[in-house]
Amino acid sequence: MSRRIAPRRMNLRRLWGWLHRWLGLSAGLLAALLGLSGAALVLKGPLLRWELGTMLEAPETGGRSPPDAWVTAALAAHRGPGTVMSVTAPHAGPIPAASALLFLSEPVPGGGVRHPMIAVDPGGGPDRPRVLGAVIFEDTWFSLLLGFHRSLLAGPPGGTAVALCGLLLALSLGSGLLLWWPRGGPGRSGGRTGWRQALLPSRRPSPAGRLRALHGAAGLWLLAPLAVLALSGTLLARPDWLPLRAVSKPAAPAATPGPTAPEPSVCAGPPDLPQAIRTAVAAHPGRVFRSAGAGPGPDAPFLIAFVDGLVLVDRRCGMARAATAADGPPTQAMRRLLGGLHADLMLGTAGQALVFTAGLALPLFYVTGLWVWLRGRRNRRAGRTRRAAVEAARHG
């Protein structure tokens, strides 16, 4: 019985080795580059401060001005054809900044759009926000780094390539785990020793042995964070692959009036973003403003986010109401969860350190795996040459 099982296990191990090798060779280089860019994005705070200087710093002297005044000041300073896409309070957005940040969208001659980013000091008194600086976001190194990490600077096809690379990385991690699983198995004699040798490899006599042991041990230690980053990155690059996207949108409660059907007598006319912010803040006094922006589509309401909830302002008549579960797609909460997992594993500073380490480990895995494969290939060729020479001498 054991004689039959042993060759079967050996064949399975060869199959996993073949799969692990070709997954690494096909997607390893791209995964290494995505890991490096992801590790660099963990340091986006220092990188942005180095690139943009004091534009992201604001002393906030004299009390904070209202958020609609930030938009008014930014548009007055811009004096261009752009429209405001979003405004974010200090320390409330994906870009770490002590200033309020506004993103505009403006057409480019010859087609296309670009996105000016304007930083505003929210202090200086209730009606005197100060513009700290402006930059075209696409012209920054941070934008190039972020675009490469998200879609290889190639639009939707690049996003698909990133998503496929994440899936291949997850498969490579699974095959690597099976390869490095101690042969004694859990619960068997020597299993504990096998795990100790796999997780804490001893010094090997040959360079190839040492690199192979380092490759396996680092992969086991970083298996969980790398798997989370690979799968969350796949779904962030291609959110339409989320299995929840086919879930139908729940119907809104009948007692909750929608913003698209107000009474004609109370319709105040189409608002702009500053007016929408003023309406939401006035309707919900005491709540802490976080961000605001236009929803998708020309008829979608403005989205005014507070720390404790979301308010919708109708674009036709300027009516404000609190958002309900029926106002968002079924994948909205899932996307927020995936974003938190991919940014720091939802572990704060410790998670950022793990993400940074995992990002740097991907190039290490690619280089060590490639070196071990090339060395083994050279040794196999040398062995075949020696055997052929022996056979030739024997028959000659």
Side-chain angles (χ1 to χ4, degrees):
M1 183 71 176
S2 60
R3 293 180 180 178
R4 295 180 181 177
I5 294 177
R8 187 180 305 172
R9 286 180 178 171
M10 183 59 65
N11 290 335
L12 284 175
R13 193 170 187 87
R14 288 176 180 172
L15 173 63
W16 292 123
W18 177 88
L19 179 64
H20 188 74
R21 177 171 63 252
W22 287 106
L23 285 172
L25 291 174
S26 61
L29 178 59
L30 179 56
L33 294 175
L34 291 174
L36 285 175
S37 60
L41 286 172
V42 174
L43 305 175
K44 61 183 178 181
L47 290 174
L48 283 167
R49 286 193 296 270
W50 168 77
E51 184 173 10
L52 301 179
T54 59
M55 178 177 162
L56 302 181
E57 301 175 2
E60 289 195 38
T61 58
R64 178 174 291 193
S65 56
D68 59 285
W70 310 342
V71 182
T72 303
L75 289 176
H78 180 63
R79 298 177 182 176
T83 57
V84 180
M85 294 176 54
S86 66
V87 53
T88 306
H91 308 292
I95 295 181
S99 56
L101 294 180
L102 292 90
F103 279 89
L104 280 65
S105 176
E106 66 177 18
V108 176
V113 294
R114 63 181 185 178
H115 302 93
M117 183 178 73
I118 303 176
V120 177
D121 180 1
D127 299 315
R128 296 187 302 275
R130 179 170 55 97
V131 174
L132 299 173
V135 66
I136 303 299
F137 186 68
E138 286 80 2
D139 293 342
T140 63
W141 285 103
F142 176 76
S143 173
L144 294 176
L145 181 64
L146 184 64
F148 177 83
H149 190 73
R150 286 179 172 177
S151 63
L152 308 178
L153 301 173
T160 301
V162 171
L164 291 175
C165 181
L167 289 178
L168 294 178
L169 175 58
L171 289 174
S172 179
L173 291 170
S175 61
L177 175 64
L178 293 172
L179 283 174
W180 259 266
W181 192 280
R183 298 192 184 188
R188 301 189 181 197
S189 61
R192 184 177 301 178
T193 303
W195 275 112
R196 186 183 300 113
Q197 292 176 350
L199 293 172
L200 300 173
S202 59
R203 296 188 62 182
R204 305 296 176 91
S206 66
R210 288 194 294 269
L211 278 181
R212 184 178 176 85
L214 175 63
H215 186 96
L220 288 175
W221 281 107
L222 295 173
L223 178 68
L226 280 172
V228 171
L229 292 173
L231 295 176
S232 61
T234 291
L235 294 177
L236 286 172
R238 285 300 303 266
D240 55 313
W241 290 0
L242 279 169
L244 296 179
R245 64 188 178 94
V247 179
S248 60
K249 184 178 177 179
T256 303
T260 58
E263 294 292 335
S265 58
V266 298
C267 185
D272 56 12
L273 185 57
Q275 291 171 336
I277 295 174
R278 283 194 294 270
T279 300
V281 171
H284 299 271
R287 300 178 74 177
V288 180
F289 174 83
R290 183 176 180 85
S291 64
D299 297 326
F302 289 108
L303 310 178
I304 315 300
F306 296 92
V307 171
D308 57 349
L310 184 68
V311 173
L312 307 182
V313 178
D314 177 38
R315 286 206 191 192
R316 292 192 305 169
C317 294
M319 295 182 64
R321 68 173 176 86
T324 65
D327 294 311
T331 58
Q332 188 175 18
M334 179 64 74
R335 291 182 186 181
R336 288 197 297 266
L337 173 64
L338 291 172
L341 288 173
H342 200 71
D344 58 9
L345 305 174
M346 303 185 76
L347 295 176
T349 303
Q352 289 182 342
L354 274 175
V355 170
F356 182 78
T357 304
L360 294 183
L362 287 176
L364 173 67
F365 293 147
Y366 177 67
V367 171
T368 55
L370 183 62
W371 192 88
V372 169
W373 175 70
L374 290 174
R375 186 177 179 86
R377 186 183 181 190
R378 186 185 65 183
N379 291 338
R380 286 190 296 272
R381 285 182 175 179
R384 286 195 296 266
T385 302
R386 286 194 299 268
R387 287 192 296 272
V390 170
E391 290 295 326
R394 181 181 301 173
H395 295 88

